[in-house]
């Protein structure tokens, strides 16, 4: 069994992003409703947050609610919003005590008033914390984020504040929410529940991220499962388009 000490002997991914999938199936297996699965999923979020702090991960981004999730049954959407509001209040002391900074990405304006308030309060109270940044992707969709960036850039160009010929990858990425908040691209993406998709999550930012898929359902994703994912990451060679020889040369 892997321990935190084992994991800490090798480089730790600075940014771990997670697609927390399988709450509904997990609940179904227990003969319970989907909402129960989401509640257990929130427990996994707490565990993973704690473990990331222990290991020294600097950024953890979780996909809490996608732009597509708005199409779910109204009852489920409402229950998820209540769960987020509860989480913001219930976890506040713990988050502050652990020097965690909270940030959010997504179309936050679509969330109900109470949810926005809970989120903004947590962001405000934790803004000076430095150990780990916990990013909640909520009402988030990558295509939404990229279209928003394109709109912001077009607006600047229209007002003669930006030359069209100056728009390159660097300039474009500055208009993504993650860059605007100072969040680096993820090193490791984890998706649970045996699904092999990105589901409109951080599409631009994941260009060179290592992908890890597991059949474990999110409510069963324990500390041990996270250590396994990081151990797997630590055995990869990241080439960023270069050859193995070039990477080895650089290490000499
Ligand atoms: C996907 O599982 C999960 C979600 C859409 C919601 C994720 C939310 C939580 C884990 C709740 C807590 C989060 C925070 C940040 C407090 P699914 O419902 O699609 O599962 P299924 O594919 O088995 O139906």
């Amino acid at each position: 069994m892997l321990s935190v000490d084992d994991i800490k002997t090798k480089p730790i991914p600075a940014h771990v992003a997670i697609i927390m999938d399988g709450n509904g199936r997990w609940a179904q297996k227990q003969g319970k409703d989907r909402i129960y699965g989401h509640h257990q999923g929130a427990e996994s979020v707490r565990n993973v947050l704690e473990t990331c702090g222990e290991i020294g991960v600097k950024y953890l981004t979780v996909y809490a609610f996608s732009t597509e999730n708005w199409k779910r049954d109204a009852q489920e959407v409402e229950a998820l919003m209540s769960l987020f509001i509860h989480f913001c209040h219930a976890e506040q002391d713990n988050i502050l005590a652990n020097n965690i900074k909270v940030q959010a990405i997504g179309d936050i304006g679509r969330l109900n008033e109470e949810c926005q308030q809970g989120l903004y309060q947590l962001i405000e109270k934790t803004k000076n914390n430095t150990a780990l940044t916990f990013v909640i992707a909520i009402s988030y969709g990558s295509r939404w984020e990229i279209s928003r960036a394109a709109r912001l850039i077009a607006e600047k160009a229209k007002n003669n504040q930006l030359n069209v010929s100056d728009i390159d990858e660097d300039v474009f990425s500055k208009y993504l929410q993650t860059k605007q908040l100072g969040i680096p691209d993820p090193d490791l993406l984890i998706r649970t529940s045996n699904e092999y998709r990105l589901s409109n999550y951080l599409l631009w930012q994941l260009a060179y991220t290592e992908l890890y898929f597991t059949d474990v359902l999110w409510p069963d994703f324990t500390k041990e499962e996270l250590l396994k994912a990081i151990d797997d990451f630590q055995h990869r060679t990241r080439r960023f388009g270069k050859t193995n020889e070039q990477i080895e040369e650089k290490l000499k």
Side-chain angles (χ1 to χ4, degrees), residues 155-194:
E155 201 63 44
K156 285 250 172 184
K158 196 173 81 181
N159 297 332
N160 295 318
Q161 293 166 310
L162 185 67
N163 285 327
V164 170
S165 56
D166 288 340
I167 301 169
D168 58 12
E169 290 180 22
D170 265 357
V171 169
F172 192 91
S173 65
K174 285 195 181 104
Y175 292 84
L176 296 172
Q177 283 185 311
T178 47
K179 239 336 190 300
Q180 291 179 326
L181 292 169
I183 303 162
D185 291 345
D187 299 291
L188 170 65
L189 170 86
I190 299 170
R191 181 171 190 148
T192 57
S193 91
N194 207 22

Side-chain angles (χ1 to χ4, degrees), residues 185-186 198 202-210 238 240:
D185 291 345
L198 294 179
L202 301 170
L203 300 180
W204 176 289
Q205 296 88 337
L206 292 174
Y208 282 101
T209 301
E210 295 298 322
R238 301 184 79 190
F240 299 98

Side-chain angles (χ1 to χ4, degrees), residues 20-26 34 38 41-42 45 62-65 69 72 76 80 83-84 87 134 136 218:
M20 314 182 286
D21 199 7
N23 294 347
R25 275 163 286 166
W26 184 90
R34 301 178 52 79
H38 294 316
V45 174
V62 296
Y63 206 3
F65 193 86
N69 287 151
R72 289 196 179 188
E76 182 173 349
L80 274 167
L83 179 57
F84 299 138
F87 183 91
F134 176 44
I136 305 176
W218 179 248

Side-chain angles (χ1 to χ4, degrees), residues 27 37 55 66 82 84 103 138 144 147 151 159 179 208 238:
I55 300 169
S66 71
S82 300
F84 299 138
Q103 290 187 323
I138 184 164
W144 170 85
S147 323
R151 261 196 317 277
N159 297 332
K179 239 336 190 300
Y208 282 101
R238 301 184 79 190

Side-chain angles (χ1 to χ4, degrees), residues 63-193:
Y63 206 3
F65 193 86
S66 71
T67 44
E68 289 72 26
N69 287 151
W70 286 114
K71 295 182 202 137
R72 289 196 179 188
D73 200 83
Q75 216 186 340
E76 182 173 349
V77 171
E78 206 172 303
L80 274 167
M81 293 303 139
S82 300
L83 179 57
F84 299 138
I85 295 164
H86 175 77
F87 183 91
C88 289
H89 296 299
E91 288 307 303
Q92 187 170 292
D93 288 350
N94 199 24
I95 284 175
L96 281 167
N98 287 294
N99 195 16
I100 295 168
K101 176 174 172 172
V102 177
Q103 290 187 323
I105 53 171
D107 191 358
I108 309 301
R110 270 185 90 175
L111 302 171
N112 69 36
E113 204 61 36
E114 210 183 343
C115 197
Q116 288 190 41
Q117 254 179 30
L119 209 50
Y120 283 132
Q121 201 180 68
L122 202 52
I123 292 170
E124 177 59 26
K125 290 211 163 152
T126 62
K127 68 177 183 208
N128 295 321
N129 289 350
T130 53
L132 162 65
T133 301
F134 176 44
V135 186
I136 305 176
I138 184 164
S139 186
Y140 175 86
S142 213
R143 289 180 174 181
W144 170 85
E145 186 190 27
I146 291 170
S147 323
R148 172 185 171 273
R151 261 196 317 277
L152 294 173
I153 290 170
E155 201 63 44
K156 285 250 172 184
K158 196 173 81 181
N159 297 332
N160 295 318
Q161 293 166 310
L162 185 67
N163 285 327
V164 170
S165 56
D166 288 340
I167 301 169
D168 58 12
E169 290 180 22
D170 265 357
V171 169
F172 192 91
S173 65
K174 285 195 181 104
Y175 292 84
L176 296 172
Q177 283 185 311
T178 47
K179 239 336 190 300
Q180 291 179 326
L181 292 169
I183 303 162
D185 291 345
D187 299 291
L188 170 65
L189 170 86
I190 299 170
R191 181 171 190 148
T192 57
S193 91

